[in-house]
């Protein structure tokens, strides 16, 4: 009986009210023309993310924060099945950026396979990409991300340290690295503790050439060699993020 009640409590804890939003062809200048976007409610964000409620670019940006809050409280939110149907309505070859705010759906730092499989299936005919802070060292996350990438949904593993980035690259994953806002190099080599070059960090081209580059005409986060790590300079809460990066390195 005790075991039954424990399992019941756990199952109730896992049943969260996830909400989502979908915008076809966003007007966001950074993203550029003809890109659709989604948001996922903030309860999809894993606790492993050091920026959760603490410097997240989406919660610190004015317009992104307002929209994300409305997704959380249901004012602009739709359920997951409705989101999948909206994604499936896009024309083949359409560009889709998942999770401007939020992450993949999971619990206790573990990605939910059932949700991810539906994302993968819906995104098969599209050029779709996203980022995740779910740790590849936890549960089946590594294999799930690999499988999704192989089937066409580009999931970039978000890292905060060069060590994490090297681990991700060594596992053959698309990798993104948050760097300080003061980083002035456009690219640099990523080396392991023995001095071996493991990858090249390329600072997001849109951040280094805002007048000419958008996500739409770049698309490196969707398709690039695995040894090219995209570096994202801290933006919005720059001082807070810079301090976090300093403390965890």
């Amino acid at each position: 009986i005790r075991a039954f009640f424990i399992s019941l409590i756990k199952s109730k804890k896992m049943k969260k009210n996830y909400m989502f939003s979908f915008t076809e062809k966003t007007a966001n200048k950074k993203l550029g023309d003809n890109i659709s976007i989604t948001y996922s409610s903030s309860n999809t964000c894993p606790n492993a993310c050091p920026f959760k409620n603490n410097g997240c670019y989406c919660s610190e940006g004015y317009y992104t924060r307002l929209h994300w809050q409305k997704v959380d409280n249901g004012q602009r939110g739709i359920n997951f099945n409705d989101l999948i149907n909206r994604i499936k309505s896009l024309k083949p070859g359409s560009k889709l950026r998942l999770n401007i705010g939020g992450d993949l759906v999971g619990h206790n730092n573990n990605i939910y396979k059932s949700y991810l499989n539906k994302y993968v299936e819906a995104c098969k005919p599209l050029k779709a990409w996203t980022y995740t802070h779910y740790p590849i060292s936890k549960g089946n996350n590594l294999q799930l991300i690999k499988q999704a990438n192989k089937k066409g949904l580009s999931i970039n593993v978000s890292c905060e340290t060069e060590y994490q980035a090297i681990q991700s690259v060594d596992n053959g994953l698309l990798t993104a690295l948050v760097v300080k806002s003061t980083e002035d190099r456009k690219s640099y080599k990523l080396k392991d503790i023995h001095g071996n070059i493991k990858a090249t960090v390329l600072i997001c081209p849109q951040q280094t050439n805002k007048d000419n580059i958008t996500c739409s005409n770049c698309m490196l986060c969707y398709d690039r060699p695995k040894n090219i790590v995209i570096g994202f300079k801290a933006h919005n809460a720059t001082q807070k993020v810079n301090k976090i990066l300093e403390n965890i390195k």
Side-chain angles (χ1 to χ4, degrees), residues 1 14 66-67 81 130-131 147 163 174 207 234:
I1 295 176
M14 292 176 67
L66 289 179
H67 179 74
N81 288 332
T130 189
Y131 311 83
Q147 291 167 11
Y163 176 75
L174 293 170
Q207 289 186 316

Side-chain angles (χ1 to χ4, degrees), residues 127-139:
K127 295 179 179 179
W129 76 98
T130 189
Y131 311 83
T132 186
H133 265 104
Y134 280 90
I136 61 174
S137 59
K138 185 78 171 178

Side-chain angles (χ1 to χ4, degrees), residues 7 35 69 75 83 115 135 145 165 174 198 211 231 239 246:
S7 64
I35 288 186
Q69 287 174 342
Q75 285 181 265
L83 173 69
Y115 282 84
I145 294 171
L174 293 170
K198 307 295 291 187
D211 292 334
Q239 291 184 349
E246 185 66 36

Side-chain angles (χ1 to χ4, degrees), residues 213-229:
I213 303 296
T214 64
C215 294
S216 183
N217 63 28
C218 174
M219 295 298 289
L220 285 176
C221 288
Y222 169 70
D223 184 26
R224 66 180 184 279
K226 299 297 191 301
N227 63 346
I228 301 294
V229 173

Side-chain angles (χ1 to χ4, degrees), residues 106-170:
H107 174 72
N108 194 27
N109 291 325
N110 288 285
I111 297 169
Y112 279 155
K113 181 179 178 180
S114 58
Y115 282 84
L116 182 56
N117 285 346
K118 290 182 180 180
Y119 267 132
V120 170
E121 185 64 29
C123 291
K124 271 185 179 179
L126 309 176
K127 295 179 179 179
W129 76 98
T130 189
Y131 311 83
T132 186
H133 265 104
Y134 280 90
I136 61 174
S137 59
K138 185 78 171 178
N140 295 318
N141 291 347
L142 175 59
Q143 291 305 318
L144 290 174
I145 294 171
K146 280 187 173 183
Q147 291 167 11
N149 286 345
K150 187 175 181 180
K151 293 179 181 179
L153 173 57
S154 296
I155 301 175
N156 293 264
V157 176
S158 296
C159 303
E160 294 76 47
T161 69
E162 293 187 352
Y163 176 75
Q164 290 174 343
I166 290 172
Q167 283 187 313
S168 179
V169 170
D170 283 346

Side-chain angles (χ1 to χ4, degrees), residues 57-75:
Y57 80 95
C58 192
S59 61
E60 297 288 346
Y62 180 74
Y63 292 108
T64 51
R65 182 181 71 252
L66 289 179
H67 179 74
W68 205 14
Q69 287 174 342
K70 290 182 179 180
V71 172
D72 274 352
N73 63 33
Q75 285 181 265

Side-chain angles (χ1 to χ4, degrees), residues 83-112:
L83 173 69
I84 293 300
N85 287 333
R86 295 292 296 274
I87 292 173
K88 287 181 176 179
S89 72
L90 292 171
K91 294 179 181 179
S94 296
K95 298 171 183 178
L96 173 65
R97 159 72 154 98
L98 296 173
N99 302 328
I100 297 292
D103 206 308
L104 301 171
V105 183
H107 174 72
N108 194 27
N109 291 325
N110 288 285
I111 297 169
Y112 279 155

